[in-house]
């Protein structure tokens, strides 16, 4: 059973329109979450709003919104005043233009949504818009109002449906120059770059998100399970940082030989390995380790 639609409205391309539904493409439902509790009673705590000057608890009917003009000086904005500037949602995704996919800077991508036709009567028009976009290999740019704010949405075909991704506005993006201007340009030898290139080539692969495991999330679940069953939690010994300093060239050479990373193949040097080294490598070797990207 499909989850409940987050938004319902109309997708419009010029005079062609069809009812659609939006569903969030991501979820955090499986994430482990903790609540604040009272250690003495085991009861959950609830938060209260406190006046920063008097320390008194502020009741809900006393709460308001204020914009800080200068330190400690606020102008209060009434709810009805906020409503006056809110954009009225017409529940329409109105496609304004089509742009080449590679022209959209990935930094602007925000939240992804699945877009599906709403009802059998919408399928034909939906398919026409979707398939036309497939043929052109372009991304549609449209405006949509979500949670009382206007967003720009990039829409592209995805399987039988469409993927709509809200975009950040230009003012929300920081200028990279303020972070990169101070990076010096050192003199790097051609040999170093070629060695690094060989390492990249040996680690070439394909993007497969199923291979990425959230180790911290798994550890949290295991921790909660052990604690709930009454088992003690043993704290790990702090790891010591290696004190030896290795030159950049040596580090590149070691990485290429397989000593700089666990997943790098050590096949070229297997014959010269000692018995103990062969045993260790055999123990940790796995099938995907020697698989080439194809």
């Amino acid at each position: 059973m499909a989850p409940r639609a987050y938004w319902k409205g109309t997708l419009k391309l010029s005079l062609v329109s069809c009812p659609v539904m939006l569903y969030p493409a991501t979820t955090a439902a499986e994430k482990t979450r903790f609540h604040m509790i009272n250690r003495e009673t085991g009861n959950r705590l609830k938060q209260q709003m406190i006046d920063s000057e008097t320390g008194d608890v502020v009741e809900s009917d006393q709460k308001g919104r204020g914009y800080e003009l200068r330190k400690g000086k606020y102008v209060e904005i009434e709810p009805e005043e906020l409503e006056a500037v809110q954009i009225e949602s017409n529940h329409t995704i109105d496609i304004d233009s089509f742009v080449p996919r590679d022209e959209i800077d990935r930094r602007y991508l925000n939240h992804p949504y699945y877009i599906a036709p709403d009802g059998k009567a919408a399928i034909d028009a939906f398919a026409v818009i979707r398939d036309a976009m497939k043929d052109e290999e372009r991304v549609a740019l449209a405006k949509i109002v979500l949670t009382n704010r206007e967003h720009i949405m990039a829409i592209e075909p995805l399987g039988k449906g469409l993927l709509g991704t809200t975009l950040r506005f230009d003012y929300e993006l920081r200028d990279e120059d303020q972070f990169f201007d101070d990076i010096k340009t050192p003199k790097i030898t051609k040999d170093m770059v070629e060695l690094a290139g060989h390492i990249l080539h040996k680690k070439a692969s394909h993007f497969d998100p199923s291979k990425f495991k959230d180790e911290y999330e798994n550890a949290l679940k295991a921790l909660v399970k052990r604690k709930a069953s009454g088992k003690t939690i043993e704290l790990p010994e702090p790891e010591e940082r290696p004190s030896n300093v290795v030159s950049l060239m040596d580090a590149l050479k070691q990485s290429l030989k397989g000593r700089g990373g666990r997943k790098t193949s050590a096949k070229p040097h297997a014959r010269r390995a000692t018995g103990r080294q062969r045993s260790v490598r055999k123990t940790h070797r796995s099938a995907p380790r020697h698989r080439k990207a194809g």
Side-chain angles (χ1 to χ4, degrees), residues 85-101:
V85 297
Q86 285 179 353
I87 299 174
E88 183 179 354
S89 175
N90 57 7
H91 282 270
T92 301
I93 306 174
D94 201 349
I95 296 176
D96 177 68
S97 60
F98 292 88
V99 300
R101 183 182 289 103

Side-chain angles (χ1 to χ4, degrees), residues 40-260:
E40 294 183 0
T41 65
N43 298 328
R44 184 174 172 179
L45 302 179
K46 66 177 182 179
Q47 293 181 324
Q48 290 182 310
M49 302 299 288
I50 305 295
D51 189 298
S52 61
E53 296 294 328
T54 67
D56 296 334
V57 175
V58 180
E59 302 300 333
S60 58
D61 60 344
Q62 296 176 297
K63 296 175 186 176
R65 294 176 182 267
Y67 180 84
E68 190 172 24
L69 299 174
R70 55 184 181 274
K71 187 66 174 179
K73 180 64 175 179
Y74 297 87
V75 57
E76 185 176 353
I77 305 297
E78 299 295 340
E80 55 270 21
E81 293 171 332
L82 277 177
E83 291 176 3
V85 297
Q86 285 179 353
I87 299 174
E88 183 179 354
S89 175
N90 57 7
H91 282 270
T92 301
I93 306 174
D94 201 349
I95 296 176
D96 177 68
S97 60
F98 292 88
V99 300
R101 183 182 289 103
D102 57 6
E103 285 189 3
I104 299 180
D105 189 325
R106 287 178 295 176
R107 293 175 295 176
Y108 285 91
L109 301 178
N110 200 358
H111 298 296
Y113 295 89
Y114 295 137
I115 304 177
D118 186 7
K120 293 181 179 180
I123 292 178
D124 287 351
F126 183 86
V128 167
I129 296 174
R130 179 198 63 203
D131 294 349
M133 291 174 62
K134 283 183 181 178
D135 293 340
E136 293 297 325
E137 294 186 354
R138 285 180 173 246
V139 176
L141 296 182
K143 289 184 177 180
I144 183 175
V145 176
L146 299 171
T147 60
N148 297 321
R149 281 184 175 270
E150 188 175 62
H151 300 268
I152 303 301
M153 178 173 279
I155 304 172
E156 56 188 309
L158 180 66
K160 295 181 179 180
L162 294 171
L163 175 67
T165 306
T166 54
L167 304 179
R168 296 180 176 91
F169 287 100
D170 191 53
Y171 71 85
E172 296 180 275
L173 213 62
R174 291 176 173 175
D175 185 359
E176 71 272 14
D177 289 343
Q178 61 179 310
F179 306 100
F180 298 160
D181 270 356
D182 293 336
I183 298 177
K184 306 300 180 183
T185 306
K187 292 183 178 180
I188 301 297
T189 67
K190 184 179 179 181
D191 290 342
M192 288 185 178
V193 177
E194 288 180 350
L195 278 173
H198 286 309
I199 296 170
L200 268 61
H201 180 71
K202 290 183 71 174
K203 290 181 174 289
S205 183
H206 294 286
F207 180 67
D208 182 0
S210 65
K211 291 183 178 180
F212 300 111
K213 306 300 179 184
D214 192 340
E215 301 294 347
Y216 182 69
E217 178 65 23
N218 294 337
L220 280 179
K221 284 182 167 60
L223 169 67
V224 172
K225 186 177 180 180
R226 285 183 61 84
K227 196 69 183 286
S229 63
K231 296 179 181 178
T232 57
I233 306 301
E234 296 180 2
L235 300 180
E237 294 291 333
E239 294 184 2
E240 294 184 6
R241 287 191 174 185
S243 57
N244 58 317
V245 179
V246 182
S247 71
L248 178 57
M249 180 61 86
D250 288 342
L252 288 168
K253 290 179 179 178
Q254 290 176 12
S255 297
L256 193 60
K257 292 177 181 179
R259 287 178 284 175

